[in-house]
Amino acid sequence: MRVVAILVIAAIASAAGQRNQAPPVAVQFENVAATAGLDFTHVSGASPARHLYEIMSGGGLFLDYDNDGWQDALLVDGGSLIDQAVMRRARNRLFHNRGNGTFDDVTATSGLTHPQYGMGGCAADYDNDGWIDVYLTAVGTNALFHNNGGKAFTDVTRASGTGA
């Protein structure tokens, strides 16, 4: 990803400057999320009770779900265990990497539903079919999603017995 490459180059330049006794160079970051198409706002569902899970982020994964050689982004959302209206606003988001520094939101067709208050996840090929699958952790039942050849995911939590 271009953003990561820029950050690595800035860090290397800063370290090289320190070795040569040059004045330190301030590293500057630029928010390019909107330009890149990564539109996401985490729903925390914070309540007056201040439960521990309400102050933690939902997490994010980088994975190449369609095997095109580009890392896509899956952002896991929270929700609310108290307010159902807040819970309905929360949703995980899958962004397909176009390979040019921009992303498409493919959530609507991904099959990656938001059944619980999301906490994080991991991506791996659990069934060794060559496609990266997704396991989402939650306050409540975790969920395993099988990758259907890079097109969409199917919830196989119950069939696999992995919902603990």
Side-chain angles (χ1 to χ4, degrees), residues 23-98:
V25 177
V27 177
Q28 296 182 3
F29 296 94
E30 180 182 350
N31 185 349
V32 297
T35 305
L38 295 169
D39 182 22
F40 176 81
T41 301
H42 180 258
V43 177
S44 74
S47 71
R50 297 180 186 244
H51 297 286
L52 182 60
Y53 59 83
E54 294 174 339
I55 63 170
M56 294 191 273
S57 176
L61 298 93
F62 290 103
L63 68 154
D64 182 9
Y65 79 92
D66 58 352
N67 289 349
D68 66 355
W70 295 98
Q71 292 296 299
D72 308 299
L74 171 58
L75 302 177
V76 181
D77 210 352
S80 175
L81 299 181
I82 298 168
D83 186 339
Q84 287 304 309
V86 172
M87 190 62 163
R88 283 190 295 275
R89 283 198 324 264
R91 63 188 181 124
N92 301 319
R93 304 286 292 278
L94 179 62
F95 295 95
H96 177 258
N97 188 336
R98 293 179 178 169

Side-chain angles (χ1 to χ4, degrees), residues 136-156:
L136 298 178
T137 59
V139 175
T141 305
N142 299 327
L144 177 63
F145 292 90
H146 178 261
N147 187 330
N148 301 320
K151 306 273 188 270
F153 293 84
T154 301
D155 187 339
V156 295

